[in-house]
Amino acid sequence: MLDKTINYYDINAKEFVEGTLNVDFKATQDKFINKLPAKGYILDFGCGSGRDSKAFLDRGYDVESMDGSEALCRLA
């Protein structure tokens, strides 16, 4: 099952990024950040388009991003 999922994202990475990159998740990101120490460390496991990683980096957090899909990692 894992191979099927990663294969799907590898094949459809560009469309996935285009469909999720500009979705406004600020309210959800704010809820998450409010539970962290200022300028803390975030592991974004399954970073997809990198949208949330970028938002956290822009706010001064130390972010490590990774995804199982090589194609998504390249685009993120």
Coordinates of all heavy atoms in Angstrom, one line a residue:
M1 N 0.8 -1.2 0.0 CA 0.0 0.0 0.0 C 0.9 1.3 0.0 O 0.6 2.2 -0.7 CB -0.9 0.0 1.2 CG -1.9 1.1 1.3 SD -3.0 1.1 -0.1 CE -4.3 2.2 0.5
L2 N 2.0 1.3 0.8 CA 2.8 2.4 0.8 C 3.4 2.7 -0.5 O 3.5 3.9 -1.0 CB 4.0 2.2 1.8 CG 5.0 3.3 2.0 CD1 4.3 4.6 2.5 CD2 6.1 2.9 3.0
D3 N 3.8 1.7 -1.3 CA 4.4 1.9 -2.6 C 3.3 2.5 -3.5 O 3.7 3.4 -4.3 CB 4.9 0.6 -3.2 CG 6.1 0.1 -2.5 OD1 6.9 0.9 -1.9 OD2 6.4 -1.1 -2.7
K4 N 2.1 2.1 -3.4 CA 1.0 2.6 -4.3 C 0.8 4.1 -4.0 O 0.6 4.9 -4.9 CB -0.3 1.9 -4.0 CG -0.4 0.6 -4.7 CD -1.7 -0.1 -4.3 CE -2.4 -0.5 -5.6 NZ -3.7 -1.1 -5.3
T5 N 0.9 4.5 -2.7 CA 0.7 5.9 -2.3 C 1.8 6.7 -2.8 O 1.6 7.8 -3.4 CB 0.5 6.0 -0.8 OG1 -0.6 5.2 -0.3 CG2 0.3 7.4 -0.3
I6 N 3.0 6.3 -2.5 CA 4.2 7.1 -3.0 C 4.2 7.2 -4.5 O 4.5 8.3 -5.1 CB 5.5 6.5 -2.4 CG1 5.5 6.8 -0.9 CG2 6.7 7.2 -3.1 CD1 6.7 6.1 -0.2
N7 N 3.9 6.1 -5.2 CA 3.9 6.1 -6.6 C 2.8 7.1 -7.1 O 3.1 7.9 -8.1 CB 3.6 4.7 -7.2 CG 3.7 4.6 -8.6 OD1 4.7 5.1 -9.2 ND2 2.7 4.0 -9.3
Y8 N 1.7 7.2 -6.5 CA 0.6 8.1 -6.9 C 1.2 9.6 -6.8 O 1.0 10.3 -7.7 CB -0.6 8.0 -6.0 CG -1.6 9.1 -6.2 CD1 -2.5 9.0 -7.2 CD2 -1.6 10.2 -5.4 CE1 -3.4 10.1 -7.5 CE2 -2.5 11.3 -5.6 CZ -3.4 11.2 -6.7 OH -4.3 12.2 -6.9
Y9 N 1.8 9.9 -5.7 CA 2.3 11.2 -5.5 C 3.5 11.5 -6.4 O 3.6 12.7 -6.9 CB 2.7 11.5 -4.0 CG 1.5 11.7 -3.2 CD1 1.1 10.8 -2.3 CD2 0.7 12.9 -3.3 CE1 -0.1 11.0 -1.5 CE2 -0.4 13.1 -2.6 CZ -0.8 12.1 -1.7 OH -2.0 12.3 -0.9
D10 N 4.3 10.5 -6.7 CA 5.4 10.7 -7.7 C 4.8 11.1 -9.1 O 5.3 12.0 -9.7 CB 6.3 9.5 -7.7 CG 7.3 9.4 -6.6 OD1 7.6 10.5 -6.0 OD2 7.8 8.3 -6.4
I11 N 3.8 10.4 -9.4 CA 3.2 10.6 -10.8 C 2.4 11.9 -10.8 O 2.4 12.6 -11.8 CB 2.3 9.4 -11.1 CG1 3.1 8.1 -11.4 CG2 1.4 9.7 -12.4 CD1 2.3 6.9 -11.5
N12 N 1.7 12.2 -9.7 CA 0.8 13.4 -9.7 C 1.4 14.6 -8.9 O 0.6 15.5 -8.5 CB -0.5 13.0 -9.2 CG -1.2 11.9 -10.0 OD1 -1.6 12.2 -11.1 ND2 -1.2 10.7 -9.6
A13 N 2.7 14.6 -8.7 CA 3.3 15.7 -7.9 C 2.9 17.1 -8.3 O 2.5 17.9 -7.5 CB 4.8 15.5 -7.8
K14 N 3.1 17.3 -9.6 CA 2.8 18.7 -10.1 C 1.4 19.1 -9.8 O 1.1 20.2 -9.4 CB 3.2 18.8 -11.6 CG 3.0 20.2 -12.2 CD 3.4 20.2 -13.6 CE 3.2 21.6 -14.1 NZ 3.0 21.7 -15.5
E15 N 0.5 18.3 -10.1 CA -1.0 18.6 -9.9 C -1.3 18.8 -8.5 O -2.0 19.6 -8.1 CB -1.9 17.5 -10.5 CG -1.8 17.4 -12.1 CD -0.6 16.7 -12.6 OE1 0.1 16.0 -11.8 OE2 -0.3 16.8 -13.8
F16 N -0.7 17.9 -7.6 CA -0.9 18.0 -6.2 C -0.4 19.4 -5.7 O -1.1 20.0 -4.9 CB -0.2 16.9 -5.4 CG -0.3 16.9 -3.9 CD1 -1.5 16.5 -3.3 CD2 0.7 17.5 -3.2 CE1 -1.6 16.6 -2.0 CE2 0.5 17.6 -1.8 CZ -0.6 17.1 -1.2
V17 N 0.8 19.7 -6.1 CA 1.4 21.0 -5.6 C 0.5 22.2 -6.1 O 0.1 23.1 -5.3 CB 2.8 21.2 -6.1 CG1 3.3 22.6 -5.9 CG2 3.7 20.2 -5.4
E18 N 0.1 22.1 -7.3 CA -0.7 23.2 -7.9 C -2.1 23.3 -7.1 O -2.6 24.4 -7.0 CB -1.0 23.0 -9.4 CG 0.2 23.2 -10.2 CD 0.1 22.8 -11.7 OE1 -1.0 22.3 -12.1 OE2 1.0 23.0 -12.5
G19 N -2.6 22.2 -6.7 CA -3.9 22.2 -6.0 C -3.8 22.5 -4.5 O -4.9 22.8 -3.9
T20 N -2.6 22.5 -3.9 CA -2.5 22.7 -2.5 C -1.7 23.9 -2.1 O -1.8 24.4 -1.0 CB -2.0 21.5 -1.8 OG1 -0.7 21.2 -2.3 CG2 -2.9 20.3 -2.0
L21 N -0.8 24.3 -3.0 CA 0.2 25.4 -2.6 C -0.4 26.6 -2.1 O 0.1 27.2 -1.2 CB 1.1 25.7 -3.8 CG 2.3 26.5 -3.6 CD1 3.2 25.9 -2.6 CD2 3.0 26.8 -4.9
N22 N -1.5 27.1 -2.7 CA -2.1 28.4 -2.3 C -3.4 28.3 -1.4 O -4.0 29.2 -1.2 CB -2.4 29.2 -3.6 CG -1.2 29.6 -4.3 OD1 -0.2 30.0 -3.7 ND2 -1.1 29.3 -5.6
V23 N -3.6 27.1 -0.9 CA -4.7 26.9 0.1 C -4.3 27.6 1.4 O -3.2 27.5 1.9 CB -5.0 25.4 0.3 CG1 -6.1 25.2 1.4 CG2 -5.4 24.7 -0.9
D24 N -5.3 28.4 1.9 CA -5.0 29.2 3.1 C -5.1 28.3 4.3 O -6.3 28.0 4.7 CB -5.9 30.4 3.2 CG -5.6 31.3 4.3 OD1 -4.6 31.1 5.1 OD2 -6.4 32.3 4.5
F25 N -4.0 28.0 4.9 CA -4.0 27.2 6.2 C -3.5 28.0 7.3 O -3.1 27.4 8.4 CB -3.2 25.9 6.0 CG -3.9 24.7 5.5 CD1 -4.4 24.6 4.2 CD2 -4.2 23.7 6.4 CE1 -5.1 23.5 3.8 CE2 -5.0 22.6 6.0 CZ -5.4 22.5 4.7
K26 N -3.6 29.3 7.2 CA -3.0 30.1 8.3 C -3.7 29.9 9.7 O -3.0 29.8 10.7 CB -3.1 31.6 7.9 CG -2.4 32.5 9.0 CD -2.4 33.9 8.5 CE -1.7 34.8 9.5 NZ -1.6 34.5 10.9
A27 N -5.0 29.7 9.7 CA -5.6 29.4 11.0 C -5.2 28.1 11.6 O -4.9 28.1 12.8 CB -7.2 29.4 10.8
T28 N -5.0 27.1 10.8 CA -4.5 25.8 11.3 C -3.0 25.9 11.7 O -2.6 25.4 12.8 CB -4.7 24.7 10.2 OG1 -6.1 24.7 9.8 CG2 -4.2 23.4 10.7
Q29 N -2.3 26.6 10.9 CA -0.8 26.8 11.3 C -0.7 27.6 12.6 O 0.1 27.3 13.4 CB -0.1 27.6 10.1 CG 0.0 26.8 8.9 CD 0.3 27.7 7.7 OE1 0.3 28.9 7.7 NE2 0.7 27.0 6.6
D30 N -1.6 28.6 12.8 CA -1.5 29.4 14.0 C -1.9 28.5 15.2 O -1.2 28.6 16.3 CB -2.5 30.6 13.9 CG -2.1 31.7 13.0 OD1 -0.9 31.7 12.6 OD2 -2.9 32.5 12.6
K31 N -2.9 27.6 15.1 CA -3.2 26.7 16.2 C -2.0 25.9 16.6 O -1.7 25.6 17.7 CB -4.4 25.9 15.8 CG -5.7 26.5 15.9 CD -6.8 25.5 15.6 CE -8.1 26.2 15.5 NZ -9.2 25.2 15.1
F32 N -1.3 25.4 15.6 CA -0.2 24.5 15.8 C 1.0 25.3 16.4 O 1.5 24.9 17.4 CB 0.3 23.9 14.4 CG 1.5 23.1 14.5 CD1 1.5 21.9 15.1 CD2 2.7 23.6 13.9 CE1 2.7 21.1 15.1 CE2 3.9 22.8 14.0 CZ 3.8 21.5 14.6
I33 N 1.3 26.5 15.9 CA 2.4 27.3 16.4 C 2.1 27.7 17.8 O 3.1 27.8 18.6 CB 2.6 28.5 15.5 CG1 3.4 28.0 14.2 CG2 3.4 29.6 16.1 CD1 3.6 29.1 13.2
N34 N 0.9 28.0 18.2 CA 0.6 28.4 19.5 C 0.9 27.4 20.6 O 1.0 27.7 21.8 CB -0.9 28.8 19.6 CG -1.2 30.1 18.9 OD1 -0.3 30.9 18.8 ND2 -2.4 30.3 18.5
K35 N 1.2 26.1 20.2 CA 1.5 25.1 21.1 C 3.1 24.9 21.2 O 3.5 24.0 21.9 CB 0.8 23.8 20.7 CG -0.7 23.9 20.7 CD -1.3 22.6 20.6 CE -2.8 22.7 20.5 NZ -3.5 23.4 21.6
L36 N 3.8 25.7 20.4 CA 5.3 25.5 20.4 C 6.0 26.7 21.1 O 5.4 27.8 21.1 CB 5.7 25.5 18.9 CG 5.2 24.4 18.0 CD1 5.6 24.6 16.6 CD2 5.5 23.1 18.5
P37 N 7.2 26.4 21.5 CA 8.0 27.6 22.0 C 8.4 28.5 20.8 O 8.5 28.0 19.7 CB 9.3 26.9 22.6 CG 9.3 25.5 22.0 CD 7.9 25.2 21.6
A38 N 8.5 29.7 21.1 CA 8.9 30.7 20.0 C 10.2 30.2 19.4 O 11.1 29.8 20.0 CB 9.1 32.1 20.7
K39 N 10.3 30.3 18.1 CA 11.4 30.0 17.3 C 11.9 28.5 17.5 O 13.1 28.2 17.4 CB 12.6 30.9 17.5 CG 12.3 32.4 17.5 CD 11.7 32.8 16.2 CE 11.4 34.3 16.2 NZ 10.6 34.8 15.2
G40 N 10.9 27.6 17.8 CA 11.2 26.2 18.0 C 11.5 25.4 16.8 O 11.6 26.0 15.7
Y41 N 11.7 24.1 17.0 CA 12.0 23.2 15.9 C 10.8 22.5 15.4 O 10.0 22.0 16.3 CB 13.1 22.2 16.4 CG 13.4 21.1 15.4 CD1 14.2 21.4 14.3 CD2 12.8 19.9 15.5 CE1 14.5 20.4 13.4 CE2 13.1 18.8 14.6 CZ 13.9 19.1 13.5 OH 14.2 18.1 12.6
I42 N 10.6 22.4 14.1 CA 9.4 21.7 13.5 C 9.9 20.7 12.5 O 10.7 21.0 11.7 CB 8.5 22.7 12.8 CG1 7.9 23.7 13.8 CG2 7.3 21.9 12.1 CD1 7.1 24.8 13.1
L43 N 9.4 19.4 12.7 CA 9.6 18.4 11.7 C 8.4 18.3 10.9 O 7.3 17.9 11.4 CB 9.9 17.1 12.4 CG 10.0 15.8 11.5 CD1 11.1 16.0 10.4 CD2 10.2 14.6 12.3
D44 N 8.4 18.7 9.6 CA 7.3 18.6 8.7 C 7.4 17.3 7.9 O 8.0 17.3 6.8 CB 7.2 19.8 7.8 CG 5.9 19.9 7.0 OD1 5.1 19.0 7.1 OD2 5.7 20.9 6.3
F45 N 6.9 16.2 8.5 CA 7.1 14.9 7.9 C 5.8 14.7 7.0 O 4.7 14.6 7.5 CB 7.1 13.8 9.0 CG 7.5 12.5 8.5 CD1 8.8 12.2 8.2 CD2 6.5 11.5 8.3 CE1 9.1 10.9 7.8 CE2 6.8 10.2 7.9 CZ 8.2 9.9 7.6
G46 N 6.1 14.6 5.7 CA 5.0 14.5 4.7 C 4.7 15.9 4.3 O 3.6 16.4 4.2
C47 N 5.8 16.7 3.9 CA 5.6 18.1 3.7 C 4.9 18.5 2.4 O 4.5 19.6 2.2 CB 7.0 18.8 3.6 SG 8.1 18.3 2.3
G48 N 4.7 17.5 1.5 CA 3.9 17.8 0.3 C 4.5 18.9 -0.5 O 5.7 18.8 -0.9
S49 N 3.8 19.9 -0.7 CA 4.2 21.0 -1.6 C 5.2 21.9 -0.8 O 5.8 22.8 -1.5 CB 3.0 21.9 -1.9 OG 2.4 22.5 -0.8
G50 N 5.4 21.8 0.5 CA 6.3 22.6 1.3 C 5.6 23.9 1.7 O 6.2 24.7 2.3
R51 N 4.3 24.0 1.5 CA 3.5 25.2 1.8 C 3.7 25.5 3.3 O 4.0 26.7 3.7 CB 2.1 25.0 1.5 CG 1.1 26.2 1.9 CD -0.3 25.7 2.0 NE -0.4 24.6 3.0 CZ -1.2 23.6 2.8 NH1 -2.0 23.5 1.7 NH2 -1.3 22.7 3.7
D52 N 3.4 24.6 4.2 CA 3.5 24.8 5.6 C 4.9 25.0 6.1 O 5.2 25.9 6.9 CB 2.8 23.7 6.4 CG 1.4 23.5 6.1 OD1 0.7 24.6 5.8 OD2 0.9 22.4 6.1
S53 N 5.9 24.3 5.6 CA 7.3 24.5 5.9 C 7.7 25.9 5.6 O 8.4 26.5 6.5 CB 8.2 23.5 5.1 OG 7.9 22.2 5.5
K54 N 7.3 26.4 4.5 CA 7.7 27.8 4.1 C 7.1 28.8 5.1 O 7.7 29.7 5.5 CB 7.3 28.1 2.7 CG 7.7 29.5 2.3 CD 7.4 29.9 0.9 CE 7.8 31.2 0.4 NZ 7.9 32.3 1.4
A55 N 5.8 28.6 5.4 CA 5.1 29.5 6.3 C 5.8 29.5 7.7 O 6.0 30.6 8.3 CB 3.7 29.1 6.5
F56 N 6.2 28.3 8.2 CA 6.9 28.2 9.5 C 8.3 28.9 9.4 O 8.7 29.5 10.3 CB 7.0 26.8 9.9 CG 5.6 26.2 10.2 CD1 5.4 24.9 9.8 CD2 4.6 26.9 10.7 CE1 4.2 24.3 10.0 CE2 3.3 26.3 10.9 CZ 3.1 25.0 10.6
L57 N 9.0 28.6 8.3 CA 10.3 29.2 8.1 C 10.2 30.8 8.1 O 11.0 31.5 8.7 CB 11.0 28.8 6.8 CG 11.5 27.4 6.8 CD1 11.8 26.9 5.4 CD2 12.8 27.3 7.7
D58 N 9.2 31.3 7.4 CA 9.0 32.7 7.3 C 8.7 33.3 8.7 O 8.9 34.5 8.9 CB 7.8 33.0 6.4 CG 8.2 32.8 4.9 OD1 9.3 32.6 4.6 OD2 7.2 32.7 4.1
R59 N 8.2 32.5 9.6 CA 7.9 33.0 11.0 C 9.0 32.7 11.9 O 8.9 32.9 13.1 CB 6.6 32.3 11.5 CG 5.4 32.8 10.7 CD 4.2 31.9 11.0 NE 3.0 32.6 11.1 CZ 1.9 32.2 11.5 NH1 1.8 30.9 11.8 NH2 0.8 32.9 11.5
G60 N 10.2 32.3 11.4 CA 11.4 32.2 12.2 C 11.6 30.8 12.9 O 12.5 30.7 13.8
Y61 N 10.8 29.8 12.5 CA 11.0 28.5 13.1 C 12.1 27.7 12.3 O 12.3 28.0 11.2 CB 9.7 27.7 13.1 CG 8.7 28.2 14.1 CD1 7.9 29.3 13.8 CD2 8.7 27.7 15.4 CE1 7.1 29.8 14.8 CE2 7.8 28.2 16.3 CZ 7.0 29.2 16.1 OH 6.2 29.7 17.0
D62 N 12.8 26.8 13.0 CA 13.7 25.9 12.4 C 13.0 24.7 11.9 O 12.4 24.0 12.7 CB 14.8 25.5 13.5 CG 15.9 24.6 13.0 OD1 16.0 24.5 11.7 OD2 16.6 24.0 13.8
V63 N 12.9 24.5 10.6 CA 12.1 23.5 10.0 C 12.9 22.5 9.2 O 13.7 22.8 8.4 CB 11.0 24.1 9.1 CG1 10.1 23.1 8.5 CG2 10.2 25.2 9.8
E64 N 12.6 21.2 9.5 CA 13.1 20.1 8.7 C 12.0 19.5 8.0 O 11.0 19.1 8.6 CB 13.8 19.1 9.6 CG 14.3 17.8 8.9 CD 15.8 17.8 8.9 OE1 16.4 18.6 9.6 OE2 16.3 17.0 8.1
S65 N 12.1 19.5 6.6 CA 11.0 19.0 5.8 C 11.4 17.7 5.1 O 12.5 17.6 4.6 CB 10.6 20.1 4.8 OG 10.4 21.3 5.4
M66 N 10.4 16.8 5.0 CA 10.7 15.6 4.2 C 9.4 15.0 3.7 O 8.3 15.3 4.3 CB 11.5 14.6 5.0 CG 10.8 14.1 6.3 SD 11.9 13.0 7.2 CE 13.1 14.1 7.8
D67 N 9.5 14.2 2.7 CA 8.3 13.5 2.1 C 8.7 12.2 1.5 O 9.9 12.1 1.1 CB 7.6 14.4 1.1 CG 6.2 14.0 0.8 OD1 6.0 13.0 0.1 OD2 5.3 14.7 1.4
G68 N 7.9 11.2 1.5 CA 8.2 9.9 0.9 C 8.3 10.0 -0.6 O 8.9 9.1 -1.2
S69 N 7.7 11.0 -1.2 CA 7.7 11.2 -2.7 C 8.9 12.0 -3.1 O 9.0 13.2 -2.7 CB 6.4 11.8 -3.1 OG 6.5 12.3 -4.5
E70 N 9.8 11.4 -3.9 CA 10.9 12.2 -4.4 C 10.5 13.4 -5.2 O 11.0 14.4 -5.2 CB 11.8 11.3 -5.3 CG 13.0 10.7 -4.5 CD 13.9 10.0 -5.5 OE1 14.5 10.6 -6.3 OE2 14.0 8.8 -5.3
A71 N 9.4 13.1 -6.0 CA 8.9 14.2 -6.9 C 8.4 15.4 -6.1 O 8.7 16.6 -6.4 CB 7.8 13.7 -7.8
L72 N 7.7 15.1 -5.0 CA 7.2 16.2 -4.1 C 8.4 16.9 -3.4 O 8.4 18.1 -3.3 CB 6.2 15.7 -3.1 CG 4.8 15.4 -3.6 CD1 4.0 14.8 -2.5 CD2 4.2 16.7 -4.2
C73 N 9.4 16.2 -3.0 CA 10.6 16.8 -2.4 C 11.3 17.8 -3.3 O 11.7 18.8 -2.9 CB 11.6 15.7 -1.9 SG 11.0 14.8 -0.5
R74 N 11.4 17.4 -4.6 CA 12.0 18.3 -5.6 C 11.2 19.5 -5.7 O 11.8 20.6 -5.8 CB 12.2 17.6 -6.9 CG 13.4 16.6 -6.9 CD 13.7 16.2 -8.3 NE 12.6 15.4 -9.0 CZ 12.4 14.1 -8.9 NH1 13.1 13.4 -8.1 NH2 11.4 13.6 -9.5
L75 N 9.9 19.4 -5.8 CA 9.0 20.6 -6.0 C 8.9 21.5 -4.7 O 8.8 22.7 -4.8 CB 7.6 20.2 -6.4 CG 7.6 19.5 -7.8 CD1 6.2 19.0 -8.1 CD2 8.0 20.5 -8.9
A76 N 9.0 20.8 -3.5 CA 8.9 21.6 -2.3 C 10.1 22.5 -2.1 O 10.0 23.6 -1.7 CB 8.7 20.6 -1.1

